[in-house]
Amino acid sequence: MVSKTNDIPASVPSCNPVDLAREGETANDKDTSKTALKDPCACGHRGDTAVMNGDAGHDQAEEADSKQYGNADADPAEDANEQEVIVIQDTGFTVKIQAPGTEPFDLQVSPQEMVQEIHQVLMDREDTCHRTCFSLQLDGNVLDNFAELKSIEGLQEGSLLKVVEEPYTVREARIHVRHIRDLLKSLDPSDAYNGVDCNSLSFLSVFTDGDLGDTGKHKKKGNELEQIDCTPPEHILPGSKERPLVPLQPQNKDWKPMQCLKVLTMSGWNPPPGNRKMHGDLMYLYIVTVEDRHVSITASTRGFYLNQSTTYVFNPKPANPSILSHSLVELLSQISAAFKKNFTALQKKRVQRNPFERIATPFQVYSWTAPQIDHAMDCVRAEDAYTSRLGYEEHIPGQTRDWNEELQTTRELSRKNLPERLLRERAIFKVHSDFAGAATRGAMAVIDGNVMAINPGEETRMQMFIWNNIFFSLGFDVRDHYRELGGDAAAHAAPTNDLNGVRAYSAVDVEGLYTLGTVVVDYRGYRVTAQSIIPGILEREQEQSVIYGSIDFGKTVVSHPKYLELLEKTSRPLKVQHHAVLNEKDTSVELCSSVECKGIIGNDGRHYILDLLRTFPPDLNYLPVEGEELAPESQKLGFPCQHRHRLACLRQELIEAFVEHRYLLFMKMAALQLMQQKANKDKTAALHDTSTADAESESKPQALEASEKVPDGTPTSPTSSESTLTLDDAEAMTVSESSAPENQEAPADLKSAVPTANTSGTHEPSAAERQNGGCDSPLEDPKSREMVLNACKAVGSISNTSFDIRFNPDIFSPGVRFPDDSTEDIQKQKQLLKDAAAFLVSFQAPSFVKDCLDHSSLPMDGATMTEALHQRGINMRYLGTVLEFVDNMPAKAQLEHIYRIGISELITRCAKHIFKTYLQGVELSALSAAVSHFLNCLLSSFPDAVAHLPADELVSRRKSRKRRNRVPGGGDNTAWASLTPSELWKNINSEAQSYYHSNLQCESVDQAVEKYGLQKITLLREISIKTGIQILIKEYNFDSRHKPAFTEEDILNIFPVVKHVNPKASDAFHFFQSGQAKVQQGFLKEGCELINEALNLFNNVYGAMHVEICACLRLLARLNYIMGDHPEALSNQQKAVLMSERVLGIEHPNTVQEYMHLALYCFANGQLSTALKLLYRARYLMLVVCGEDHPEMALLDSNIGLVLHGVMEYDLSLRFLENALANNSKYHGPRSLKVALSHHLVARVYESKAEFRSALQHEKEGYTIYKNQVGEAHEKTKESSEYLKYLTQQAVALQRTMNEIYKNGSNASIMPLKFTAPSMASVLEQLNIINGIIFIPLSQKDLENLKAEVQRRQLMQDSGKIEEQQGGQLELDDKLPVDD
């Protein structure tokens, strides 16, 4: 329905691009808990997107079975789903809307929508945006805001809805003023810079001059080449050492504020006195117009009018002439001509902006740079700061939200069919996103000292807080809880471990088992954990409430049958072993989780689990235990290492990968024994043998099939919750399959079974279990049973009859004791843990390095590197180990970029650890001085950075008595001021040694830059993002030896760094994956449909902005492009770029890639100058993020060089192409096919310049590579050889002509030479090749059918769609560089 904003698919029933009156979701706050469920999307969709956590895709268990990715057609349940989806969308209709003072207009709506959403659209439309207080009436009946349109009698195609102005209340008047303020500020980027209200920056429109898709705006077509100025700024050219910061945020001309009013604020005469209240006065406003007229306005129940009050005299009588307007805008337009003119212009501009530039992101994104913005008066902001946001109330309507109730109720919603699941996931996502936002604001309020502690008498570190129904605690070891485990270091690590546990349990999503809403916020050096509150827990002691688990790390332990039953369901997906421990009375207690995990039944009767910090087993490489030897692979690398705390756990991704790896081993062993047995039997009883072997091999696939076809609608059945497939598992699987070299040896008859098991996402052959469980299968044969038994033993399975690996999380926990009868089992578990730890260092770490070497993993900055490591289950504490692997690789030169990113990540992480404790000792008034001093010590070449203490006149003359109860960390000390650069770098070195076991040996920043080839601007970006610092955007002189780089004026803000759970849209994700699989199999049409479907579902759950929608749009754009629909590709990719900028950040590596794709589609659409601008922008961003020396830079430079070649800027083109050639040779090896292609591109430019000798030289190099790599007969080699012949002819002809001129002087008869300016089609063909796009010729008819189906809109007849496909089908080899 939001299709009014043109750019959002029409089936997003609930996403609302309006930054609706932000009074905490006002417009629909009749009863907050009701709203949260009834209309989970009432307010512009704010939700979680922290994608940087390694959990890039846990999704609901219950669907994992029914969707065997890749074979969508084999699954009836899935087809049914598709039917359902289509039903959801296809039934929109049009209604007419009549608003006072405007012409009636048509509005497309869908039956699922609420009346509320029509309100939103009207508040966003240019001609009705100034109305907020109205009702919609159909034939004189007022429609209920929360009614769905389909439930309204008489509402049908063509019905006329009247907009009727309603009388104001105080609440409605406030909403109105807020909304008007939002409209006045709609182009102002200050909210994005200040990181509020889910606004964030986007700069794409600066480079595209408005919208790309409108053909009318194609400024320059291919034939008008002369007009394009192609020269990039100096700092973008290859080889430039300059890295300016200012271009990061180019000037956006739309942001020049159009002033409509000088001041709009609440009057000092509020609230109205009793006698005026009885005349209908609601509140008073004070306004100064642009013409400098000061007026006082009354908001009354009937509307707004001028009164006769002045600053010092109260006179509420209406002014003369009296004008009463229902809308404040109408009133102001009458009293100020400038307001009328500018407001109209402003709204025109606002509506022209791409909706993706203004929709709220689901989760707040902070910018680490900002310009100096003028601080303007803003009544709404001021009111927020002093009323609603600090006290108890998040919302003005008077009650706080019961977060726990909302979070748990959304989980309980029904999930039997697709529409129900969509509704449920949407509600879960919405509440989570609101909760994360509220928790972040609360955590900041706590650290800033604005919240009263619930135990104010205790010292600050021990205080706890409740604000807005959220419980906050600080990450310190209070009451020596963690003394055994590492004190404060353990208390700091526990919240993130706990959050990972919450993530894991919520992803398994067992009905009846509840976790707490959990958000971890790092702010100003403190770690704050925010949790929703279990009903009733505050009224009783913890000892009484806990009915499962232990409150003292295992001395006293209790258990409970209901908890065992619930946790048993999570045991398989989370690989947690059911085990027994001894309590203080030496009796054995059954558990199905770690002992710290506590079960509490709330007053609401729900079963909650909390303290999930040990959900995953301990990491023995970082947990030295006396008398235990680690595996030789670990010992060889110097493990076990002493770590700061004893809470080091393995990541869930590692557990998944390890189990997957063991499963392959298990299959191989069983197969090997099978073959031996066959060989032995062959000699004796050939007949008997074949029958059992056949039966055996037949039974496997059958059983596997059975395990695949779990019915869809059984969310609670144990089978469906058994197997969760997460994105990471998919990652892990591909890793373990591709990188297991032994994989090839699996015998054929088993090989068929292995992949099926993998793809079905069941990491354990439930097949085998079904065969062996009841012993009524062909494995009755004792020999076969013995084989399985041997294989089970060898891989450490907990069952003897089938493959089943689970971990006991309590092994090696201090204070936990096990019953004597489980000694053997405990030994097994200990061995398993040692194996898993060894697997990480001997298998996963090298496989990461290998992936980097063959460029299947291409991290560009610290965050993407962290993500890549996490996907493989490698914790960041292994960074030193990984760097050591890279350093010892023979191909170290080809991994230089990885080493450099790793070192810069190491340095900034160590600096972050030091900065954390450094900040805790700084009082608020010295914060900017302290931060700038720290940055100077870290990055400035100035050797004696001196801190500026707060100016003397502000320091109170009396020594203030130290009050005991300050803000946490309100220390009066100025110890921070004594930090020196050499001391800081010494600390960084020792931190690198003690935490990461890495030997840095850098005494200063300049030495680090010199030794490792780092960039100071990159280090500044990394440390700012990690610590939440926001700095002024200007050019910093880091290298001056005479003055420090930063002053305290350069530090603008410090933001929180937030971690939280990421609820997933599971159905959408399945569609997306099936679509990807289809595309990979070459079924583009089916793939495209599935991905369009996924896009609709994602929009349904997440609203319009989300990182997964971004991936979806990117893939769609690529498919559109391949199938020849360039305008559509351009439109989808434009959304992808905007979304990436808004959700991930303007210079996130993902954004850089999106810019590159967009440039390609622009070029294909004939917008050459735009394509160049976009490529230059991408290159600049990449220079800031990781510098010039990166394999991805070669691709970018090849793109730029080709486009420049196309516009005949040959010299400039050569600079970029030769840089790409050097880069490719370095990172892909001089004999790779990529390098051959680079040589060819350079040769073409030389040919265009008529420098045939150089052209020949390069083409010969290319030819040699092709000949050696793919052989003489290959098409590529032949092409190259043809081109060589052609060049030789041209060179000879040129030489002849020159000789003729020398000989005969001016009267020589000159043969006309063919100098070829490249055709656009040939440039585009080369662009496609380097970007790995292979064309499949389609007939126009196919295209038409496809478009008709997929987009369901009129096909624009455009004949020239397939011209660039004339080259026919390109060879696959261009895309697959075969490096030696």
Side-chain angles (χ1 to χ4, degrees), residues 992-1012:
Q993 188 55 57
S994 69
Y995 195 94
Y996 296 104
H997 306 286
S998 183
N999 200 352
L1000 262 183
Q1001 294 177 318
C1002 295
E1003 283 157 35
S1004 70
V1005 65
D1006 293 319
Q1007 196 184 337
V1009 165
E1010 188 56 39
K1011 182 170 172 183
Y1012 297 111

Side-chain angles (χ1 to χ4, degrees), residues 142-154:
V142 177
L143 306 185
D144 168 18
N145 258 348
F146 293 114
E148 290 192 345
L149 297 185
K150 59 180 177 213
S151 66
I152 295 168
E153 278 181 46

